[in-house]
């Protein structure tokens, strides 16, 4: 078949005289160019490994040390204090290169200089690690920096002044510390106090005390031992037990979505937008492979761990009966594409040359114009990735382990990422509030079979050129995919551009082979499994209520004038909104990052505190003067900021208790305290969406170049999921999710409570704001 011919470098036939090879010069040329490209990548990785390994030193600094040593000898100065002479005497005698005294002396000075240089690098790296272990700067009042922090900042800048590569700081980042059990338990009891009555709290206090005295010391020793041995004592267990061992569907329960720019439209041509975006994505991947991306820096000088970025591309989650695995390839030269129930393999390169945006547009247009129907069972095949993991693992083993099904599945799983071409159009219309929610629903789950939920991310393209992402969660957290998305949208808008008619710039190459249609042979038994998975996924998707809205009265500009952090402001507003919605407080989850530590991922900030509940209760009473309410709000805000900083600096509550629980399971030790802690439901799960990780344009000059962030499904059946993005000075986007099946929740109702809570808190400070 024509499709199969495109995937091989030569053809052969068996004749009576033997095997007759018919070599294709063009195919062999592409193989040769691909090999050259592969070797170039290997050499770049070797070079980067060397440069990263000697950071903050450099080959130039080594040469300077060598020249200084050689120069001092010509001035009759022995800066080695006799070590060069000792090295010279230790060199083997009689070897050809060392016969002349001058050569032996130069070699000895080079060895001495290399030793001094390597020792200096080791000293600087250990000093940098020690400096990065200091987090006192996070707890200082804004504008009141201590002398110690000023000196620390100067030292950090001096040691990291040379331009770093993406992974230059990895070995200099400190390890995540294991908190003291007593401190964790104290903070835990403090966090649940506003949620329990006196009797319940006393019971929990007794369980905690018993755990601290009897069980915890033994568990803690194992955890400390792991922290000495492993790079991070949490991350590998978190990835395995929270994500990969989960047996419920990824769709809605784990995967999350990211929206496109919503206030501007660069083009309405679907294939053209894809051409620019995918070209920008592969440019980003090239920079990632070459480590040319700058590491994310807090305050512009404290590096964040870049480990999660390694698996952004060429990664797929492989289903298993008990646990899934993450398959990551070093490279992939194609993307897998879904359109109208058909799967395609689209090459990103011609030989070693990356296809230009106009070529990619032409290739996607070929897919859009392809009239061929889906093969039996092909249309809903991706529903397997949307249903239960055990069912998918069994089907994969039974029906996709050999033949054309295996080859087609490998083409998807070995792709750089997955691309879904939708026939529907979604966008944000400010005049139609429901449009943003419909857009979010399409990104979160689509029709349950037009996304490949196992890929690291699926790029979703709507008929009107609007885009979005659906990302798998196990390999990394949202800020990582956000970094890619900012680069891609910035490159699309400010570097690649479009013609007046909305097409990609340049001329296409019509000689390019068209995308390859993947071939399947799906039996009736497999089609029945696919249908079952689809029904499970559809029931899950139909139960999700999503309410997305743009809050326009104010943004972080006004919040900062209230002398509080924007995140604390929103979190306290969420507490007020939830109490108005449900008439009670609940255990609240806010995600915080721990990427100041090596291989750090996230920690939980328990946002429902005694201080925030005191403020909410005072607001509900309606008898307090504004001055008293402001005072209560400021106390709640300071408490929240302190808890967020503790979480970021490794002194959180939940990851430590999670790891202690796992150790207890490994040891077969029963702990009623840990069992109860780990079973508590998070009825309000929240997350702030990061932005402006890359400064590709001035947001003041381009205020409309804003994405709306993204969202996720509710964690508890009777709870809410809330993500928000404080977009610039005058705007906040919210994404609120709940389940229709719960009679206690309603996403739109909760969203309206959030709006009103924000306005009511702003009114306490009497700061002028726009009309809502």
């Amino acid at each position: 078949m024509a499709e199969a011919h495109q995937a091989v470098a030569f053809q052969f036939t068996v004749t009576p005289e033997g095997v007759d090879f018919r070599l294709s010069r063009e195919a062999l040329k592409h193989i040769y160019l691909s090999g050259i490209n592969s070797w170039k990548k290997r050499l770049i990785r070797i070079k980067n490994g060397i440069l990263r390994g000697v950071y903050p030193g450099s080959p130039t600094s080594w040469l300077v040390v060598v020249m200084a040593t050689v120069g001092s000898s010509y001035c009759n100065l022995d800066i080695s204090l006799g070590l060069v002479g000792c090295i010279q005497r230790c060199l083997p005698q009689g070897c050809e290169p060392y016969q002349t005294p001058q050569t032996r002396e130069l070699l000895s000075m080079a060895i001495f200089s290399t030793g001094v240089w390597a020792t200096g690098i080791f000293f600087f790296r250990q000093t940098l690690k020690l400096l990065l272990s200091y987090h006192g700067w996070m707890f200082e009042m804004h504008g009141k920096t201590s002398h110690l922090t000023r000196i620390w900042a100067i030292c950090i800048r001096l040691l990291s002044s040379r331009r770093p590569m993406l992974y230059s700081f990895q070995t200099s980042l400190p390890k995540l510390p294991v908190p003291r059990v007593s401190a964790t338990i104290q903070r835990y009891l403090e966090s649940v106090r506003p949620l329990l009555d006196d009797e319940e709290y006393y019971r929990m206090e007794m369980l905690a005390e018993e755990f601290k005295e009897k069980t915890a010391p033994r568990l803690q020793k194992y955890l400390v031992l792991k922290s000495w041995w492993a790079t991070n004592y949490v991350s590998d267990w978190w990835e395995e037990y929270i994500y990969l061992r989960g047996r419920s569907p990824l769709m809605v329960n784990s995967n999350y979505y990211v929206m496109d720019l919503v206030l501007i439209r660069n083009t309405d041509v679907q294939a053209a937008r894809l051409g620019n975006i995918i070209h920008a994505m592969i440019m980003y991947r090239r920079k990632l492979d070459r480590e040319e991306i700058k590491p994310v820096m807090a305050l512009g000088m404290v590096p964040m761990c870049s480990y999660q970025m390694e698996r952004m591309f060429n990664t797929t989650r492989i289903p298993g009966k008990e646990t899934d695995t993450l398959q990551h390839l070093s490279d992939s030269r194609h993307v897998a594409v879904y359109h109208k129930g058909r799967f395609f393999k689209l090459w990103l390169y011609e030989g070693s040359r990356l296809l230009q945006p106009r070529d990619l547009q032409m290739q996607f247009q070929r897919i859009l114009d392809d009239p061929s129907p889906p093969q039996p069972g092909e249309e809903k095949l991706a529903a397997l990735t949307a249903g239960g993991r055990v069912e998918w693992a069994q089907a994969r083993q039974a029906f996709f382990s050999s033949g054309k099904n295996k080859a087609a599945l490998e083409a998807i799983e070995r792709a750089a990422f997955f691309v879904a071409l939708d026939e529907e159009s979604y966008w944000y219309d400010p005049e139609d509030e429901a449009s943003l929610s419909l857009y979010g629903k399409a990104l979160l789950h689509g029709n349950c079979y037009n996304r490949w939920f196992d890929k690291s991310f699926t790029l979703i393209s709507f008929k009107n050129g609007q885009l979005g992402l659906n990302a798998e969660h196990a390999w990394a957290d949202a800020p990582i995919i956000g970094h890619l998305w900012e680069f891609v949208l910035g490159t699309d808008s400010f570097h690649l551009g479009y013609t007046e008619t909305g097409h990609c710039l340049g001329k296409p190459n019509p000689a390019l082979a068209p995308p390859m249609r993947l071939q399947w042979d799906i039996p009736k038994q497999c089609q029945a499994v696919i249908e079952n998975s689809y029904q499970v996924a559809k029931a899950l998707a139909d139960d999700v209520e999503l309410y997305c809205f743009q809050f326009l009265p104010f943004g972080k500009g006004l919040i900062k004038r209230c002398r509080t952090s924007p995140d604390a402001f929103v979190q306290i507003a969420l507490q007020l909104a939830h109490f108005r919605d449900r008439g009670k407080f609940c255990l609240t989850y806010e995600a915080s990052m721990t990427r100041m530590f090596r291989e750090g991922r996230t920690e939980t900030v328990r946002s429902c505190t005694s201080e925030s509940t005191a403020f909410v209760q005072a607001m509900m009473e309606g008898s307090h003067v504004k001055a008293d309410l402001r005072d209560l709000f400021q106390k709640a805000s300071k408490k929240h900021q302190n808890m967020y900083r503790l979480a970021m600096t490794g002194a959180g509550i939940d990851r430590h208790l999670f790891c202690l629980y796992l150790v207890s399971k490994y040891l077969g030790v029963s702990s009623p305290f840990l069992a109860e802690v780990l079973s508590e439901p998070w009825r309000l799960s929240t997350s702030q969406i990061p932005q402006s990780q890359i400064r590709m344009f001035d947001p003041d000059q381009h205020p409309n170049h804003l994405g709306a962030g993204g969202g996720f499904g509710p964690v508890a059946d009777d709870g809410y999921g809330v993500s928000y993005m404080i977009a610039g000075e005058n705007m906040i986007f919210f994404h609120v999710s709940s389940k229709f099946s719960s009679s206690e929740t309603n996403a739109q109702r909760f969203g309206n409570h959030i709006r009103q809570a924000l306005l009511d808190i702003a009114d306490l400070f009497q700061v002028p704001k726009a009309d809502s």
Side-chain angles (χ1 to χ4, degrees):
M1 299 185 325
E3 292 86 0
H5 293 168
Q6 297 170 28
V8 295
F10 55 86
Q11 308 164 34
F12 67 92
T13 56
V14 178
T15 67
E17 289 78 23
V19 178
D20 175 29
F21 285 89
R22 297 201 300 273
L23 298 177
S24 166
R25 290 186 179 181
E26 187 65 23
L28 290 177
K29 173 188 172 185
H30 286 301
I31 288 177
Y32 168 75
L33 293 174
S34 298
I36 293 295
N37 191 51
S38 178
W39 275 105
K40 283 181 180 177
K41 286 185 176 180
R42 290 177 190 173
L43 292 174
I44 288 170
R45 285 171 185 157
I46 292 171
K47 182 198 76 171
N48 288 344
I50 294 170
L51 294 176
R52 185 195 328 130
V54 301
Y55 189 87
S58 66
T60 305
S61 63
W62 173 81
L63 189 60
V64 169
V65 175
V66 172
M67 292 177 64
T69 305
V70 174
S72 66
S73 70
Y74 283 106
C75 297
N76 296 320
L77 292 174
D78 185 8
I79 62 174
S80 72
L81 302 178
L83 285 176
V84 169
C86 292
I87 295 170
Q88 189 171 350
R89 289 192 293 272
C90 292
L91 290 175
Q93 299 288 334
C95 294
E96 188 67 29
Y98 317 131
Q99 285 183 352
T100 64
Q102 293 84 358
T103 305
R104 292 171 63 84
E105 185 178 10
L106 283 172
L107 182 59
S108 301
M109 286 189 285
I111 293 172
F112 167 77
S113 301
T114 302
V116 170
W117 178 70
T119 302
I121 289 172
F122 176 79
F123 171 77
F124 282 128
R125 290 175 81 128
Q126 293 304 309
T127 303
L128 184 58
K129 181 180 284 190
L130 186 64
L131 290 168
L132 293 175
S133 300
Y134 169 74
H135 300 122
W137 59 274
M138 292 191 66
F139 296 89
E140 294 181 349
M141 295 287 291
H142 183 68
K144 296 182 179 179
T145 308
S146 66
H147 292 300
L148 177 62
T149 299
R150 291 177 190 274
I151 295 169
W152 166 83
I154 292 169
C155 293
I156 286 282
R157 291 188 184 279
L158 287 174
L159 288 176
S160 57
S161 58
R162 192 170 74 82
R163 183 181 177 184
M165 294 189 299
L166 180 60
Y167 303 119
S168 290
F169 292 110
Q170 287 301 98
T171 55
S172 297
L173 292 173
K175 287 188 176 184
L176 183 68
V178 181
R180 290 182 295 109
V181 171
S182 58
T184 297
I185 290 177
Q186 179 187 346
R187 284 193 284 267
Y188 169 77
L189 290 173
E190 189 179 323
S191 74
V192 297
R193 185 66 187 96
L195 304 173
L196 305 175
D197 59 31
D198 291 343
E199 184 179 339
E200 291 171 330
Y201 180 74
Y202 177 75
R203 186 184 67 84
M204 184 56 73
E205 205 172 28
M206 291 300 100
L207 286 175
E209 189 63 29
E210 180 187 18
F211 170 73
K212 183 174 71 172
E213 297 299 327
K214 295 182 179 179
T215 313
R218 183 184 175 197
L219 305 182
Q220 180 79 347
K221 287 176 183 176
Y222 281 94
L223 213 53
V224 170
L225 180 63
K226 187 193 177 189
S227 73
W228 291 346
W229 177 252
T231 308
N232 188 294
Y233 83 93
V234 175
S235 293
D236 59 337
W237 283 350
W238 186 255
E239 180 178 299
E240 179 179 356
Y241 289 96
I242 298 301
Y243 295 117
L244 297 180
R245 283 184 180 258
R247 301 293 81 197
S248 60
L250 300 184
M251 187 194 78
V252 175
N253 294 322
S254 179
N255 284 27
Y256 57 93
Y257 65 87
V258 184
M259 287 184 169
D260 197 355
L261 300 175
V262 291
L263 302 181
I264 62 164
R265 300 268 293 279
N266 290 323
T267 180
D268 293 329
V269 182
Q270 185 178 15
R273 189 82 197 286
L274 280 167
N276 268 5
I277 290 292
I278 289 182
H279 182 80
M281 282 184 166
I282 303 305
M283 286 172 60
Y284 182 93
R285 187 179 70 169
R286 179 182 291 176
K287 287 178 175 289
L288 200 62
D289 290 341
R290 297 178 178 180
E291 301 184 34
E292 295 173 352
I293 297 171
K294 295 178 182 178
V296 176
M297 312 281 273
L299 296 181
M301 62 179 180
V302 180
M304 301 286 105
C305 179
S306 302
Y307 163 74
Q308 295 178 58
M309 301 176 83
E310 293 177 0
R311 298 181 293 182
M312 187 179 297
F313 295 93
N314 329 323
T315 298
T316 301
R317 180 165 169 166
I318 305 297
K321 293 180 181 178
E322 294 183 0
T323 182
D324 294 353
T325 56
L326 287 175
Q327 172 188 283
H328 174 68
L329 306 176
S330 60
D331 195 17
S332 178
R333 300 175 61 80
H334 72 278
V335 292
V337 184
Y338 179 90
H339 177 241
K340 283 188 175 180
R342 298 90 44 84
F343 291 86
F344 295 84
K345 181 178 183 179
L346 190 154
W347 294 99
L348 299 169
Y349 293 84
E350 183 188 16
S352 61
R353 184 184 69 86
L354 172 64
L355 294 185
Q356 294 302 303
R358 192 65 183 86
D359 292 328
L360 289 167
Q361 177 185 344
M362 178 187 70
Q363 296 291 67
F364 278 107
Q365 194 61 53
R366 285 173 168 176
I367 292 175
L368 292 169
D369 295 340
D370 188 324
S372 61
Q375 300 160 73
E378 182 182 18
E379 183 178 14
K380 295 182 179 179
L381 175 63
L384 290 171
T385 70
R389 303 305 293 170
V390 175
E391 293 79 7
W392 174 205
Q394 292 171 340
R396 189 176 190 274
Q397 185 177 7
F399 305 111
F400 298 90
S401 58
S402 62
K404 60 171 66 174
N405 286 350
K406 180 182 179 181
L409 181 61
E410 282 186 348
I412 295 173
E413 293 181 339
R414 298 176 71 86
F417 50 90
F418 194 80
V419 183
L421 308 182
D422 285 12
E423 285 296 292
E424 299 80 20
S425 293
Y426 291 98
W427 69 95
Y428 174 46
D429 180 2
E431 303 300 320
D432 179 12
E433 184 182 74
S435 62
L436 196 63
S437 302
L438 292 172
Y439 177 26
K441 281 273 283 182
L443 295 176
L444 181 63
H445 52 67
N447 62 15
C448 303
Y449 57 80
N450 57 355
R451 317 274 181 260
W452 198 270
F453 293 100
D454 285 357
K455 288 301 289 183
S456 55
F457 64 89
T458 295
L459 174 63
I460 301 159
S461 168
F462 298 108
K463 198 173 185 67
N464 59 348
Q466 197 76 5
L467 301 174
L469 298 175
N470 183 289
E472 200 276 322
H473 213 322
W475 65 276
D477 301 308
I480 305 302
I481 204 75
H483 194 279
L484 162 71
W485 200 229
E486 284 184 30
F487 175 89
V488 166
L489 294 180
T491 303
D492 173 46
S493 297
F494 298 102
H495 297 284
L496 296 177
Y498 299 89
T499 65
E500 292 181 358
T501 55
H503 294 278
C504 296
L505 301 176
K507 294 183 178 180
N509 176 13
L512 286 174
M516 184 175 74
R517 177 80 185 273
L518 299 185
Q519 300 299 310
W520 307 91
D521 182 12
I522 302 174
K524 294 290 186 181
Q525 304 96 305
C526 183
Q527 292 180 35
V529 176
I530 292 171
E531 184 61 28
N532 287 338
S533 291
Y534 169 67
Q535 293 301 331
V536 169
K538 188 175 187 303
L540 184 60
D542 290 345
D543 195 24
V544 174
E545 180 186 10
L546 188 66
Y547 179 56
C548 307
F549 64 94
Q550 182 183 16
F551 182 78
L552 287 170
F554 58 84
K556 67 181 178 183
L558 179 143
I559 295 173
K560 287 180 177 178
R561 294 200 294 276
C562 297
R563 297 184 178 180
T564 187
S565 84
D567 183 67
F569 190 98
V570 174
Q571 284 292 328
I572 296 170
L574 289 174
Q575 292 300 314
L576 177 58
H578 187 273
F579 193 86
R580 286 172 171 171
D581 186 81
R582 300 287 296 276
K584 60 183 178 181
F585 298 106
C586 72
L587 195 61
T588 306
Y589 182 111
E590 182 190 6
S592 163
M593 68 176 182
T594 56
R595 287 175 60 205
M596 289 192 295
F597 302 97
R598 193 169 178 186
E599 294 186 16
R601 289 198 62 164
T602 60
E603 177 57 275
T604 305
V605 179
R606 293 175 166 238
S607 302
C608 184
T609 63
S610 297
E611 290 80 0
S612 65
T613 56
F615 167 75
V616 170
Q617 287 167 341
M619 287 285 287
M620 295 302 294
E621 288 171 9
S623 59
H624 293 71
V625 297
K626 285 187 176 181
D628 291 341
L629 291 171
R630 282 197 300 269
D631 184 55
L632 288 170
F633 176 84
Q634 292 293 356
K635 287 179 181 177
S637 174
K638 287 176 182 177
K639 175 67 175 180
H640 181 83
Q641 290 178 67
N642 187 61
M643 289 177 59
Y644 201 96
R645 290 161 181 159
L646 286 170
M648 286 186 67
T649 53
I653 300 168
D654 290 276
R655 299 302 178 269
H656 186 202
L657 293 176
F658 162 76
C659 289
L660 289 171
Y661 177 76
L662 276 182
V663 174
S664 74
K665 288 299 182 183
Y666 283 133
L667 298 178
V669 176
S670 176
S671 170
F673 170 73
L674 289 176
E676 187 155 338
V677 169
L678 271 293
S679 64
E680 293 171 341
W682 301 98
R683 289 192 170 86
L684 180 55
S685 183
T686 72
S687 178
Q688 182 182 178
I689 303 158
Q691 60 170 328
S692 300
Q693 298 182 79
I694 308 176
R695 189 82 175 183
M696 293 193 69
F697 61 91
D698 186 350
D700 294 331
Q701 294 184 11
H702 305 279
N704 288 333
H705 279 76
L706 282 174
F712 52 88
V715 173
D717 290 339
D718 58 347
Y720 291 111
V722 181
S723 66
Y724 52 94
M725 187 178 79
I726 304 170
E729 298 295 312
N730 304 302
M731 195 185 311
I732 308 175
F733 283 101
F734 284 92
H735 304 252
V736 184
S737 64
S738 64
K739 292 194 174 182
F740 287 115
S741 56
S742 171
S743 60
E744 300 179 48
T745 58
N746 181 291
Q748 184 163 356
R749 182 186 71 206
F750 187 46
N752 291 333
H753 282 308
I754 293 171
R755 274 197 185 95
Q756 192 59 49
L758 290 167
L759 293 170
D760 290 346
I761 294 175
D763 187 60
L764 296 178
F765 294 88
Q766 296 180 332
V767 181
K769 54 187 179 296
D771 295 332
S772 58

